[in-house]
Amino acid sequence: MEKSDCQKNQYGHPCFDADAHCSVGRIHLPIAPACNIKCKYCSRKHDCANENRPGVTTKIINPDEALERVRLAIILEPRIRVVGIAGPGDPLANAATLETLKMVRAEFPQMSLCLSTNGLLLPEYLDDLVNIDLDSLTVTVNAIDEKVGAQIYSFVLYHGVTQYGEDAACRLRDNQLEGIARAVKAGIRVKVNSVLIPGINETEMVPLAQTLKQLNVSVMNIMPLIPQADFTYLAPVPQHLHQEIREQCAPYINQVSHCKQCRADACGLLDNVKKDFKEICKKSVTIP
Ligand code: CLF
Ligand code: SF4
């Protein structure tokens, strides 16, 4: 897409609308360290300030600090119009998430609120998200078939019980699909992110795209695996395979191809994350 086309959309969402990604910015508030599942590709242990990948943050902040960060960020980058919570754990596994979203909604009613989740707790928190007028939601779904899901998730911790294997994968998938269906019906824009894991879930992408079409999901974002954690041994996704799979899914649901797989404390426009987040994180308060 030509830059001039991109800059035409001043009101869209930088991740959902390709023509808004270089004209509208977002800020992630890293207030959510805990998670309730274990994806085998997830690593939240290291922070390198030059590293851009999901799960990375320079520090965890609390809701008051998050609000302060938004105040500062929109002075430094007035094109920020989306406030998102994307980890570094699962936002819905952290009580600070709803508290922070409510505070941001009250002080910045003009901001679009966004949340990214694994979806395990989506059915039980959906009414709360509707009540704070959440604008957009991303759910990461990597498998429909529980046999495939069992190869991707080490465990799911649900209501105090740890589940493994296909039981875990079934629980996660069922909650994801129920939550997505209800979110769409409630008028929230929904995107599904899927991590493409070579040799494990390529064949899941088309059935997933077909399911998402039936659920009226807005867009699908197939992201290449970053080989790390339990999947360090896997090879990176060949670009041609990534492209082919997107093309196979495109007849069913619009595909996002400008995702930056950004950090849990990313800030600014998608295309110049590093410069902006460094400036803003430097000026924010550290939790002792
Ligand atoms: Fe953040 Fe995610 Fe909202 Fe965007 S990111 S919570 S939908 S405001 Fe965007 Fe970053 Fe890709 Fe996510 S580029 S990783 S798709
Ligand atoms: Fe990591 Fe997110 Fe998976 Fe939790 S849901 S294990 S934070 S990738």
Side-chain angles (χ1 to χ4, degrees):
M1 175 174 303
E2 294 295 326
K3 200 169 182 191
S4 55
D5 287 343
C6 179
Q7 287 173 333
K8 279 182 189 157
N9 189 346
Q10 307 289 319
Y11 302 100
H13 187 297
C15 307
F16 286 61
D17 305 307
D19 60 356
H21 85 271
C22 50
S23 51
V24 178
R26 53 83 183 89
I27 177 168
H28 284 170
L29 302 174
I31 50 88
C35 191
N36 43 18
I37 70 174
K38 177 68 181 79
C39 306
K40 290 186 181 174
Y41 53 74
C42 176
S43 171
R44 286 170 280 148
K45 283 187 193 149
H46 311 289
D47 168 44
C48 164
N50 295 315
E51 199 174 13
N52 285 319
R53 62 175 170 82
V56 174
T57 181
T58 295
K59 55 196 154 198
I60 304 295
I61 56 175
N62 67 32
D64 289 328
E65 290 169 323
L67 210 58
E68 186 58 33
R69 193 175 282 198
V70 178
R71 290 182 194 123
L72 183 60
I74 58 177
I75 293 169
L76 291 171
E77 177 48 275
R79 291 173 292 182
I80 291 175
R81 282 194 279 279
V82 175
V83 177
I85 299 184
D90 184 66
L92 295 181
N94 294 265
T97 296
L98 284 175
E99 188 187 345
T100 304
L101 288 174
K102 278 181 199 162
M103 288 162 67
V104 174
R105 176 54 83 218
E107 184 166 331
F108 305 99
Q110 77 281 17
M111 285 287 167
S112 184
L113 298 184
C114 192
L115 181 87
S116 178
T117 175
N118 62 36
L120 182 67
L121 296 180
L122 193 51
E124 62 203 71
Y125 283 111
L126 191 68
D127 290 345
D128 294 304
L129 297 175
V130 171
N131 287 339
I132 55 163
D133 205 11
L134 187 84
D135 296 276
S136 50
L137 173 74
T138 294
V139 186
T140 301
V141 184
N142 300 315
I144 292 285
D145 183 336
E146 61 269 22
K147 290 187 180 57
V148 177
Q151 298 174 62
I152 299 173
Y153 306 107
S154 303
F155 67 82
V156 161
L157 176 60
Y158 187 57
H159 290 178
V161 178
T162 305
Q163 296 179 309
Y164 302 92
E166 292 180 23
D167 289 346
C170 273
R171 167 54 60 202
L172 182 61
R173 176 207 55 210
D174 291 351
N175 285 17
Q176 288 170 333
L177 297 182
E178 181 193 336
I180 289 169
R182 285 177 47 204
V184 171
K185 282 194 185 126
I188 297 174
R189 273 186 98 182
V190 178
K191 167 165 70 64
V192 164
N193 283 358
S194 303
V195 179
L196 179 61
I197 310 168
I200 295 190
N201 72 348
E202 299 98 316
T203 53
E204 287 295 280
M205 294 297 127
V206 169
L208 176 59
Q210 291 167 333
T211 303
L212 301 179
K213 176 185 164 70
Q214 285 167 4
L215 294 174
N216 287 321
V217 171
S218 300
V219 285
M220 180 183 191
N221 174 23
I222 301 175
M223 306 184 298
L225 173 78
I226 299 172
Q228 59 183 9
D230 296 341
F231 283 155
T232 306
Y233 68 93
L234 290 176
V237 181
Q239 211 177 346
H240 70 89
L241 176 69
H242 191 192
Q243 188 53 31
E244 265 169 44
I245 289 180
R246 273 194 187 134
E247 284 168 13
Q248 289 166 12
C249 294
Y252 306 105
I253 179 168
N254 288 334
Q255 298 291 303
V256 167
S257 58
H258 62 283
C259 172
K260 304 296 177 197
Q261 294 184 275
C262 43
R263 300 167 52 104
D265 59 2
C267 183
L269 300 185
L270 296 193
D271 287 333
N272 59 357
V273 171
K274 281 196 278 188
K275 177 175 166 286
D276 288 347
F277 94 72
K278 276 181 185 165
E279 206 168 332
I280 289 163
C281 291
K282 222 169 30 192
K283 296 184 183 182
S284 56
V285 198
T286 312
I287 294 180

